[in-house]
Amino acid sequence: MFALVDCNNFYVSCERAFQNRLKGVPVVVLSNNDGCIISRSQEAKDLGIKMGEPYFKVKPLLAQHGVRVFSSNYVLYGDMSRRVMHYLSSVVPDVEIYSIDEAFLDLRGMERYHGCLTTYAADIRQEVYRRTHIPTCVGIGPTKTLAKLANRITKKKPALGGIFCLDTEAKRQWALEQVAVEDVWGIGRQYAQKLHDAGIRTAAALAQCSESWVRKYLGGVVGARLVRELQGIPCHAFQPSDGGTTVRQSIACTRTFGKPLSTFADLLGAVGAFASRAAEKLRQQGSAVNTMTVFISKNKYSNEPPPYTFSTVISLPVATNDTSDLLRYARIALKRIWQPHTTYIKAGVILDGLEGAGQQQLNLFSTTNKGEARTRLLQDLDQLNQRFGTGTVRFATAAIPRGKQSVSWLGNADFKSGAYTTSWEELWAL
């Protein structure tokens, strides 16, 4: 059996965990640059506020109902997620972190030690809340797809108490009939339309389709696996995360600017900051990278003709996680695509081709192997920033003054809460 633990309204729950006055009142969290609504409390959902709604459009409605608005605070959310995941990894043999607020648990054989899985899941759910004040729902099923489906049902039906275990055939069949086919994990918009056209409207109807039909109309072997998972036959492999952390296959750091930028120096500051942040993530998971993509984007709603996004890819001669190396290549990449007298609103750095740090293939003619002294220097840099706060020590290219916003490319965050779990200065303001 597998379980899916999903944190309810995660970003809002993180804000509520430190501010009791938010409980019982409508709350929403905005995306980067205070653009769109990306998390809603149940009270906000009941007001008809939709996910992804632009903030400027619903601002009057939010003010009318006294909805509390917060800018996204990913430092806080990331640390709260780490706490939840580390607890989960301490109570089950394996955890697969699916996203910042979702994790699959491997419960195979756990009945032998804990008896009823529903009772065991209730204990886990209660302990997560006691430790973090984050409410969760738990779906349990013989496959990952059914666990996801059970979790969806328990969110929609509060009478289930936040836990639903598909441990019998009758429960599986009942659950399949409750879920629309477009809400099945792995069914996208186009396939949902195709299934509706074929008269298949529920997960139960999809589970009864023949494998030959599914292979022909639902993506071949991928669709066949999905249907088998709905039938209770595990097909998706469990991919445990090491120590309650997840190892990324690629790393992206992108932002929409607070103000449009046009000069090369301003764009280099933004791209340099993104490359520095990506390098920190690389070192954190013990990886090095051999491919870097840098892009910059214009405003597609302006009067300028397309294309609106310009990108370039650089293959590094030797995989590295050294910030100075990545900054140098980011500068080279930006020189290729930046154009004078042009205004940009967004930029990003994407790292692909990740390898294990210390195991990368060296170049016979390369001089970039800087030895143990350089490795210790970067470790010391990361430790200083972890101990005294992000950005305490940084490369000059990626200069970001601490405190209030003073860099033009930084996005708007007018309603941001404190980083209560990672900053002593902001903890005192709680």
Side-chain angles (χ1 to χ4, degrees), residues 327-402:
L327 287 174
R328 186 169 70 255
Y329 290 116
R331 179 192 293 269
I332 294 171
L334 186 61
K335 280 184 177 178
R336 292 180 183 174
I337 55 179
W338 175 78
Q339 298 175 353
H341 313 299
T342 304
T343 301
Y344 300 95
I345 64 166
K346 185 178 182 179
V349 173
I350 303 170
L351 304 181
D352 295 301
L354 272 60
E355 305 176 11
Q359 304 172 12
Q360 59 265 47
Q361 180 66 49
L362 301 179
N363 186 324
L364 180 63
F365 304 103
S366 174
T367 58
T368 57
N369 186 11
K370 300 172 183 174
E372 295 183 1
R374 187 69 179 185
T375 301
R376 286 198 300 272
L377 174 65
L378 293 170
Q379 289 174 347
D380 292 342
L381 183 147
D382 291 339
Q383 289 174 2
L384 285 170
N385 287 331
Q386 290 171 7
R387 181 174 181 181
F388 298 104
T390 302
T392 300
V393 181
R394 65 174 68 88
F395 287 76
T397 303
I400 309 173
R402 301 184 70 180

Side-chain angles (χ1 to χ4, degrees), residues 94-171:
D94 286 314
V95 172
E96 177 185 339
I97 299 175
Y98 181 65
S99 66
I100 191 172
D101 60 347
E102 289 180 284
F104 287 102
L105 310 183
D106 186 354
L107 300 183
R108 288 173 289 187
M110 298 300 285
E111 301 95 328
R112 185 183 311 168
Y113 306 101
H114 299 281
C116 176
L117 290 181
T118 301
T119 304
Y120 182 43
D123 294 339
I124 292 176
R125 185 169 179 263
Q126 184 177 10
E127 187 64 14
V128 168
Y129 187 80
R130 189 188 70 81
R131 290 170 177 247
T132 63
H133 282 209
I134 301 293
T136 57
C137 284
V138 184
I140 304 173
T143 68
K144 290 168 67 176
T145 302
L146 286 175
K148 185 92 174 173
L149 187 140
N151 194 293
R152 180 178 183 82
I153 290 175
T154 193
K155 279 181 178 292
K156 299 291 183 183
K157 298 183 180 299
L160 293 172
I163 301 171
F164 188 36
C165 180
L166 303 181
D167 52 357
T168 65
E169 177 60 24
K171 286 184 180 178

Side-chain angles (χ1 to χ4, degrees), residues 174-208:
W174 177 83
L176 291 175
E177 292 169 355
Q178 306 304 308
V179 176
V181 70
E182 60 267 27
D183 294 330
V184 173
W185 187 39
I187 296 294
R189 185 178 303 174
Q190 291 184 346
Y191 279 129
Q193 184 59 51
K194 188 180 293 186
L195 290 168
H196 272 268
D197 293 342
I200 300 170
R201 302 185 185 281
T202 66
L206 179 59
Q208 293 173 358

Side-chain angles (χ1 to χ4, degrees), residues 249-426:
Q249 300 302 313
S250 67
I251 293 176
C253 190
T254 68
R255 296 284 188 278
T256 299
F257 306 141
K259 299 176 183 176
L261 305 179
S262 57
T263 68
F264 182 82
D266 286 342
L267 282 162
L268 179 60
V271 171
F274 301 158
S276 298
R277 179 59 185 141
E280 291 175 5
K281 293 181 178 179
L282 272 178
R283 293 193 292 272
Q284 191 174 17
Q285 70 172 36
S287 299
V289 67
N290 59 38
T291 304
M292 168 188 280
T293 301
V294 174
F295 75 85
I296 49 179
S297 299
K298 299 187 295 185
N299 187 354
K300 64 181 180 181
Y301 299 108
S302 68
N303 295 325
E304 294 186 55
Y308 300 107
T309 297
F310 304 86
S311 65
T312 185
V313 179
I314 290 185
S315 296
L316 282 58
V318 176
T320 181
N321 59 16
D322 190 321
T323 302
S324 63
D325 289 338
L326 295 178
L327 287 174
R328 186 169 70 255
Y329 290 116
R331 179 192 293 269
I332 294 171
L334 186 61
K335 280 184 177 178
R336 292 180 183 174
I337 55 179
W338 175 78
Q339 298 175 353
H341 313 299
T342 304
T343 301
Y344 300 95
I345 64 166
K346 185 178 182 179
V349 173
I350 303 170
L351 304 181
D352 295 301
L354 272 60
E355 305 176 11
Q359 304 172 12
Q360 59 265 47
Q361 180 66 49
L362 301 179
N363 186 324
L364 180 63
F365 304 103
S366 174
T367 58
T368 57
N369 186 11
K370 300 172 183 174
E372 295 183 1
R374 187 69 179 185
T375 301
R376 286 198 300 272
L377 174 65
L378 293 170
Q379 289 174 347
D380 292 342
L381 183 147
D382 291 339
Q383 289 174 2
L384 285 170
N385 287 331
Q386 290 171 7
R387 181 174 181 181
F388 298 104
T390 302
T392 300
V393 181
R394 65 174 68 88
F395 287 76
T397 303
I400 309 173
R402 301 184 70 180
K404 295 184 177 179
Q405 176 177 322
S406 57
V407 179
S408 55
W409 60 263
L410 282 176
N412 297 318
D414 296 335
F415 317 104
K416 191 175 181 180
S417 57
Y420 305 120
T421 60
T422 54
S423 170
W424 284 110
E425 295 175 356
E426 297 181 17

